[in-house]
Amino acid sequence: MGLLSKKDSKLILDPLADNNPITIQVLGICSALAITAQLKASIVMSISVLFVLGVGNVVISLIRNIIPSKIRIIVQLTVVAALVIIVDLVLKAFAYELSKELSVFVGLIITNCIIMGRFEAFALGNGPWRSFLDGIGNAAGYGVILIIVGFFRELLGSGTLMGVKVLGDPIEKTGLYAFGYENNGFMLLSPMALIVVGLIIWVQRSRNKALIED
Amino acid sequence: MSTNTESNKYTLLFAIGMVVIVGSLLAFTASSLAPNIDVNKRLEKQQNILYAMGVNENEGSSATFVSTEKAPELFNQYITEQIIIQGGNITTSDEAYLVDVKKQQSNAKAGIDRKLPLFIGEKEGQKYYIAPILGKGLWDAIWAYVAMDENMVIQGAYFDHKGETPGLGANIKERFFMDDFIGEHLMENGTFKGITVSKSNADPKNIDKTDYEVDAIAGATITGDGVAAMIKSELKLYVPYFKSLNN
């Protein structure tokens, strides 16, 4: 990458795989369970987190030297909450349909531990540009897992992708359903998200032994 | 910077300053976007009402509204009358639109007669009576626009929700659920019976339209029960009006 130095591009690329916030740091699991029953919701959630974490990291990094350490967690929370409310309002005003899709998820962003985690661990000690890259990288790492989980849960649970019936119609018995295939309703329940995340962790660690802890 | 960022005084001032800045930023954003949001909400209501009476752009199996640009024009074209029913009084009013169902529900609890808005539309010679209703799902509010004919047979319905679980309760706004209501009867020999969202439905393909049941969504028991309860308690209030129509 000519645009970024090696150190900077590491900030973006690391969280995508070897230091993924979900599969390695096991952060942000709660929202990964709650909203991945549909691919579309996963994608929208990923984009929103990308925005909030990217901007939030920059804001925290800019004011990092003037935040009193006693109340820094509250300050971080306020920044996330304010950004989330702005996202929510802007969506309601200019992309009403999309904001209805998101409904509760927008609020859920505030509780995402990845965001507070990155503010605390990175933005408080680094400059705005590096913080921005770190935010984007971590949000993308989070998004990738969300989209993978959402893909499998929607495909196997509802037989659809983005709401489109890719496997045929389960009531009319067309496509795969003509051969006796059935949707696995269990995939729609939250525990299955945990199992899918677990499978991803298994695959990832068996391919890269260095990630295995003692 | 020589300021001591750890002193109590600084901490307090910082907190106050932050609250003021963030507060005014949010207040400014909210008030400058409010007109846009109101317009969106009004258009959505029109789209919902039109959807319930079958004026929509459904294609395949997904529910599609008429576009927001066309909604006001189509609304004027199809909705011939808006009325408010309060006790025994029926008034024609363009304000039916603005009746806040939630507020009316709490009015009713306080003993004040509820204002019941009803939209009367006409399409291809058939009359539609569209009632907005509001109830409780698993997490938050659910609501619906139900279009009926003179005999309270459902002609179309649009369900929506504030925060039901995606993939489960949120599916009440999918066509496979909403369309099941079309043709269902609400009245049995002159008494109001409502519709049960049933898990033990013997009629999953929904051929029997007078069984007062539709098929429930797996994994969304409480949302489904909420839909049934909403229909039972809210649409019941319109019974006297429909009875007066048929006399």
Side-chain angles (χ1 to χ4, degrees):
Chain A
M1 254 189 247
L3 192 66
L4 302 168
S5 70
K6 214 171 173 190
K7 233 170 118 191
D8 283 350
S9 60
K10 206 169 137 58
L11 285 176
I12 288 207
L13 297 177
D14 252 13
L16 284 178
D18 290 349
N19 198 14
N20 189 286
I22 295 187
T23 62
I24 308 297
Q25 301 171 26
V26 200
L27 289 173
I29 289 286
C30 353
S31 56
L33 300 191
I35 59 134
T36 48
Q38 284 173 328
L39 184 57
K40 198 172 176 185
S42 311
I43 294 174
V44 177
M45 182 67 167
S46 309
I47 296 170
S48 314
V49 169
L50 194 74
F51 171 80
V52 173
L53 193 48
V55 177
N57 251 2
V58 172
V59 172
I60 291 290
S61 167
L62 284 174
I63 60 171
R64 69 186 186 279
N65 292 326
I66 58 167
I67 300 177
S69 62
K70 271 181 270 186
I71 57 164
R72 67 180 196 288
I73 300 283
I74 301 175
V75 174
Q76 291 163 14
L77 251 182
T78 315
V79 171
V80 190
L83 282 172
V84 168
I85 293 170
I86 291 175
V87 171
D88 193 29
L89 285 171
V90 168
L91 283 176
K92 269 193 187 133
F94 299 109
Y96 197 71
E97 289 293 301
L98 195 61
S99 91
K100 292 205 48 135
E101 287 292 328
L102 277 164
S103 63
V104 284
F105 313 144
V106 181
L108 272 176
I109 298 174
I110 302 178
T111 64
N112 194 321
C113 11
I114 296 174
I115 295 180
M116 294 290 282
R118 292 329 289 171
F119 284 3
E120 183 75 7
F122 199 90
L124 276 178
N126 290 280
W129 173 239
R130 283 173 55 82
S131 298
F132 176 71
L133 295 177
D134 177 79
I136 297 292
N138 275 281
Y142 167 79
V144 166
I145 302 297
L146 233 62
I147 289 167
I148 296 174
V149 177
F151 176 84
F152 284 111
R153 283 183 74 192
E154 187 176 350
L155 184 68
L156 301 177
S158 317
T160 57
L161 282 177
M162 307 288 284
V164 178
K165 290 183 177 139
V166 286
L167 299 181
D169 195 308
I171 295 167
E172 306 287 331
K173 299 280 176 220
T174 58
L176 258 186
Y177 299 97
F179 304 104
Y181 174 82
E182 291 285 343
N183 285 331
N184 184 355
F186 196 42
M187 290 300 289
L188 293 177
L189 304 177
S190 311
M192 281 313 290
L194 202 55
I195 292 174
V196 175
V197 171
L199 290 173
I200 297 173
I201 293 178
W202 178 25
V203 171
Q204 195 181 8
R205 293 190 191 202
S206 65
R207 287 169 61 97
N208 185 353
K209 304 280 184 212
L211 297 174
I212 303 172
E213 298 102 351
D214 304 319
Chain B
M1 256 187 286
S2 58
T3 338
N4 174 15
T5 59
E6 296 311 312
S7 76
N8 284 344
K9 196 175 151 200
Y10 178 82
T11 306
L12 201 64
L13 286 176
F14 186 92
I16 293 170
M18 183 181 70
V19 168
V20 170
I21 292 171
V22 172
S24 38
L25 179 72
L26 290 183
F28 175 75
T29 322
S31 58
S32 54
L33 292 178
N36 284 33
I37 295 174
D38 283 347
V39 169
N40 285 336
K41 283 192 175 152
R42 209 186 67 226
L43 288 174
E44 189 199 9
K45 213 166 180 178
Q46 293 186 335
Q47 287 174 317
N48 289 174
I49 292 169
L50 287 170
Y51 183 93
M53 66 176 283
V55 182
N56 51 46
E57 289 173 3
N58 282 347
E59 235 178 70
S61 59
S62 58
T64 318
F65 297 128
V66 295
S67 70
T68 43
E69 292 84 38
K70 279 194 280 178
E73 187 196 324
L74 288 170
F75 190 81
N76 288 336
Q77 182 188 334
Y78 284 108
I79 301 297
T80 48
E81 203 182 354
Q82 302 181 34
I83 59 171
I84 294 176
I85 307 163
Q86 189 171 24
N89 301 326
I90 296 167
T91 42
T92 308
S93 154
D94 289 343
E95 305 270 288
Y97 218 78
L98 302 172
V99 172
D100 181 348
V101 180
K102 193 175 177 187
K103 201 172 154 198
Q104 296 302 324
Q105 283 181 344
S106 53
N107 271 1
K109 269 185 207 148
I112 307 168
D113 265 344
R114 247 181 95 165
K115 282 185 183 166
L116 297 168
L118 188 67
F119 304 92
I120 302 173
E122 204 172 329
K123 195 184 76 169
E124 288 151 18
Q126 200 196 335
K127 272 200 160 183
Y128 293 85
Y129 299 84
I130 302 135
I133 55 177
L134 177 76
K136 282 197 201 88
L138 171 61
W139 303 114
D140 213 320
I142 52 174
W143 58 91
Y145 294 87
V146 183
M148 294 161 283
D149 68 4
E150 295 82 2
N151 301 313
M152 290 193 95
V153 176
I154 296 181
Q155 302 297 313
Y158 182 75
F159 289 98
D160 208 344
H161 63 94
K162 191 164 176 199
E164 298 307 296
T165 320
L168 299 172
N171 281 353
I172 58 168
K173 60 184 288 190
E174 295 294 329
R175 276 190 66 193
F176 70 81
F177 182 72
M178 297 192 292
D179 287 0
D180 272 4
F181 284 83
I182 298 175
E184 288 284 341
H185 290 245
L186 286 164
M187 305 285 284
E188 189 184 44
N189 302 326
T191 44
F192 183 80
K193 215 170 160 196
I195 292 174
T196 307
V197 178
S198 167
K199 286 201 287 184
S200 54
N201 191 358
D203 176 31
K205 289 201 174 167
N206 201 35
I207 295 157
D208 183 359
K209 295 293 184 188
T210 49
D211 59 352
Y212 307 98
E213 279 188 351
V214 295
D215 209 15
I217 302 170
T221 309
I222 296 177
T223 311
D225 287 351
V227 169
M230 167 172 79
I231 288 175
K232 275 193 185 123
S233 65
E234 293 283 286
L235 286 182
K236 195 177 182 181
L237 302 170
Y238 287 91
V239 171
Y241 174 78
F242 281 94
K243 284 202 167 155
S244 72
L245 275 183
N246 290 322
N247 284 338

